[in-house]
């Protein structure tokens, strides 16, 4: 593996590993988001535990860091890895950013579930597919009020949308990353899947104690 690819991997991972939700709650509420609700540092738990403003900011910044990692990966491809397909380099950066969010070195490798950051990287590598997937997410939330179910189905739908909406060359690694990232998001929801199956999952807008 070349030094250039290692640089992109390291930069994308570190960018993705910025624990936005943790930092926002720590700075503005002087609290540790990991001690509230589900203990997750993602936007949904911040929204439930830290307020609407912090939740929205967490979501937007998590999306932004994912998009920035993938975009910079694509831009750097022409300079550092001219022999690699640009989509492969963007996909590599995207994968590392999502892994960074899920397993941040700063928090003992215990991070978020990757939904917002995954949406951000997907917006860059396959924008129409990402928008379609977030549409699935929105519909499922509106119907069921289960954010976890919406996240799972939105993630699962993305590779399907990408297959039809991404035009031109689709290298195997580029396609594989779409499936891997979607799979990681679903796996990170394993506890939610158990609660969904048992009927004990919390609905959006319902207090945790309900």
């Amino acid at each position: 593996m070349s030094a250039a690819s290692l640089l992109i991997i390291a930069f994308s991972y570190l960018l993705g590993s910025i624990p936005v939700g943790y930092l926002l709650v720590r700075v503005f509420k002087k609290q540790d988001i990991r001690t509230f609700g589900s203990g997750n540092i993602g936007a949904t738990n911040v929204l439930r535990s830290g307020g609407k403003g912090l939740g929205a900011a967490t979501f937007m910044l998590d999306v932004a860091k994912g998009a920035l990692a993938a975009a910079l990966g694509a831009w750097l491809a022409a300079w550092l890895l001219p022999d690699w397909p640009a989509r492969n380099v963007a996909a590599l950066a995207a994968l590392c950013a999502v892994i960074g969010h899920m397993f941040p070195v700063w928090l003992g490798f215990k991070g978020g579930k990757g939904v917002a950051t995954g949406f951000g990287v997907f917006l860059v590598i396959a924008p129409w597919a990402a928008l379609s997937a977030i549409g699935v997410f929105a519909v499922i939330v509106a119907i069921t009020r289960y954010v976890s179910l919406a996240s799972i189905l939105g993630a699962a739908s993305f590779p399907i949308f990408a297959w039809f909406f991404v035009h031109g060359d689709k290298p195997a690694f580029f396609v594989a990353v779409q499936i891997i990232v979607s799979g990681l998001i679903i796996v990170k929801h394993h506890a939610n899947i158990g609660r969904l199956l048992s009927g004990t999952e919390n609905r959006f807008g319902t207090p945790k104690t309900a």
Side-chain angles (χ1 to χ4, degrees):
M1 186 172 289
S2 68
S5 60
L6 289 174
L7 176 64
I8 291 173
I9 288 171
F11 175 81
S12 301
Y13 170 82
L14 291 174
L15 180 58
S17 72
I18 299 172
V20 173
Y22 170 83
L23 291 173
L24 288 177
V25 174
R26 176 66 76 181
V27 170
F28 289 101
K29 300 199 71 173
K30 305 297 187 292
Q31 296 171 335
D32 187 340
I33 186 61
R34 296 172 297 177
T35 64
F36 293 92
S38 66
N40 193 269
I41 65 169
T44 301
N45 195 44
V46 173
L47 175 64
R48 285 173 173 154
S49 307
K52 293 181 180 179
L54 291 181
T58 299
F59 178 80
M60 291 187 291
L61 290 173
D62 278 344
V63 170
K65 72 182 184 183
L68 180 61
L72 285 176
W75 180 75
L76 288 171
W79 297 89
L80 301 179
L81 297 168
D83 297 328
W84 286 32
R87 279 182 168 168
N88 277 357
V89 182
L92 176 64
L95 175 61
C96 293
V98 173
I99 290 175
H101 176 80
M102 292 179 173
F103 308 102
V105 63
W106 323 110
L107 299 179
F109 302 102
K110 296 179 181 179
K113 296 175 182 176
V115 177
T117 303
F119 177 56
V121 302
F122 288 157
L123 271 177
V124 173
I125 68 174
W128 287 113
L131 292 173
S132 299
I134 204 69
V136 170
F137 173 90
V139 169
I140 299 301
V141 169
I143 294 173
T144 70
R145 292 194 293 124
Y146 284 127
V147 174
S148 57
L149 179 62
S151 300
I152 292 165
L153 294 179
S157 70
F158 174 79
I160 300 171
F161 287 127
W163 183 257
F164 291 103
F165 292 156
V166 174
H167 302 296
D169 188 32
K170 289 184 278 192
F173 181 74
F174 174 74
V175 175
V177 165
Q178 298 167 19
I179 297 171
I180 291 169
V181 170
S182 297
L184 285 172
I185 292 172
I186 293 170
V187 169
K188 288 286 281 186
H189 282 82
H190 62 91
N192 303 89
I193 293 173
R195 291 193 295 271
L196 284 166
L197 292 175
S198 66
T200 58
E201 178 70 325
N202 189 61
R203 294 179 188 267
F204 183 74
T206 303
K208 271 287 186 180
T209 55

